[in-house]
Amino acid sequence: MKIYKKKQKTAIITGASEGIGAAFSKLLIKKGWKVFGISRSSSKLRAISKSFQSNKQSFKYFSCDVQDFKKLKSIAKEIEAPDLLFLNAGIYSPVKASEINLDLYKKHININYLGVLNSYEAFLPGLIRKQNGHIIIMSSVSGWIGLPKAAAYGPTKAALRSFAQSARYDLNPKGIKVQLCSPGFVETQATSINDFYMPGLMNVNEAANLIFKHMSSNKFEFSFPLSFSLFMKIFSYLPDKISSYLIKKFII
Ligand SMILES: NC(=O)c1ccc[n+]([C@@H]2O[C@H](COP(=O)([O-])OP(=O)(O)OC[C@H]3O[C@@H](n4cnc5c(N)ncnc54)[C@H](OP(=O)(O)O)[C@@H]3O)[C@@H](O)[C@H]2O)c1
């Protein structure tokens, strides 16, 4: 009797050098996946690769800015279409909309929104060819309602939500599953700059475990931690008069 080795599952993860992307890469590798990590810092990616010692083959990395579509296309030529494309790379800077911030707004759009589209378009043809695959787009609860200091970040996450909602109708019939991940606060370098109380702040490994759990569900959008995301969902449905009153009274 022949014994067939189950094909190793593969994932492309953008923003794999830090935070949620790094934790999720490590988790997938622990579960036997092969991960192709993409982000700008090759030294951070190298350090992650080194941490796998006996399992080095499971993490291959590419230093690339998600704003560089040409380079992403050339990476796509090097690797087979993955089982999972996790479009996670992103930046976050709090801003005051009363100040001049055009460069920062553009930077957020270029990395958080167009960077996702660059990565999506670079790797999509492979998924379409094999008529199979799974794309998770990283959004945020900040995409559900405009919040103070989130005028640069929030709109990019709202745009990703709208994009993913739309894209799934075209991709599902081609055998490609699309999910949107909309977390609350996760403890990473991105949130370490926040000078306010972050309700439900979650450990990055816990977040990675929840993403892994939800990716096998049929839910289009998933969010965590449960209590904070439920609160934010209800909050986002409140009449503007009430939600803006509460924000002015308790947050600003
Ligand atoms: N932490 C939270 O509370 C939270 C909540 C909701 C949603 N999110 C979303 O989750 C994602 C990850 O956030 P995080 O908290 O893990 O942030 P993080 O710790 O700052 O990590 C961000 C990752 O994105 C990469 N990245 C940034 N700009 C890039 C670019 N131009 N090209 C390629 N890679 C780039 C960074 O690597 P390099 O610097 O090496 O390029 C890093 O690996 C983001 O999309 C964020 O908006 C986070």
Side-chain angles (χ1 to χ4, degrees), residues 19-218:
I20 299 170
F24 191 57
S25 299
K26 287 177 186 167
L27 179 69
L28 287 187
I29 288 168
K30 231 167 101 183
K31 296 200 179 275
W33 288 55
K34 178 167 180 119
V35 171
F36 298 92
I38 296 175
S39 33
R40 291 165 302 182
S41 163
S42 47
S43 59
K44 286 185 194 166
L45 288 165
R46 199 176 313 116
I48 293 186
S49 172
K50 275 191 179 158
S51 72
F52 295 119
Q53 289 164 355
S54 59
N55 214 355
K56 274 197 184 116
Q57 294 307 317
S58 291
F59 187 72
K60 189 165 163 44
Y61 61 88
F62 299 89
S63 161
C64 175
D65 190 318
V66 291
Q67 296 171 91
D68 187 345
F69 179 63
K70 257 190 174 169
K71 192 155 181 196
L72 287 164
K73 281 293 278 182
S74 75
I75 296 171
K77 278 189 193 146
E78 277 186 51
I79 43 187
E80 251 182 64
D83 295 290
L84 172 68
L85 178 58
F86 184 44
L87 302 174
N88 162 76
I91 55 162
Y92 161 71
S93 305
V95 297
K96 276 199 165 178
S98 52
E99 291 161 6
I100 302 300
N101 284 310
L102 188 58
D103 286 345
L104 207 55
Y105 293 142
K106 285 183 179 169
K107 194 173 167 193
H108 277 74
I109 290 169
N110 287 338
I111 296 176
N112 291 8
Y113 184 61
L114 296 178
V116 166
L117 293 195
N118 285 335
S119 318
Y120 171 86
E121 292 248 326
F123 297 108
L124 183 66
L127 300 183
I128 301 259
R129 261 195 308 276
K130 72 169 188 172
Q131 297 270 302
N132 187 11
H134 184 174
I135 300 174
I136 302 179
I137 293 179
M138 183 55 110
S139 182
S140 161
V141 295
S142 312
W144 295 350
I145 184 169
L147 295 167
K149 294 189 186 167
Y153 178 77
T156 64
K157 296 301 181 181
L160 286 174
R161 186 164 193 259
S162 178
F163 172 77
Q165 280 174 331
S166 184
R168 70 177 148 157
Y169 296 115
D170 301 318
L171 296 187
N172 290 170
K174 298 199 179 295
I176 302 167
K177 175 173 169 177
V178 180
Q179 284 184 301
L180 187 73
C181 175
S182 300
F185 294 110
V186 181
E187 204 171 0
T188 64
Q189 66 160 18
T191 46
S192 68
I193 55 172
N194 284 341
D195 57 2
F196 53 84
Y197 171 67
M198 290 178 268
L201 182 66
M202 180 175 260
N203 171 274
V204 76
N205 295 318
E206 243 179 284
N209 276 315
L210 284 168
I211 295 169
F212 188 78
K213 181 184 143 209
H214 283 293
M215 70 186 239
S216 56
S217 80
N218 288 323

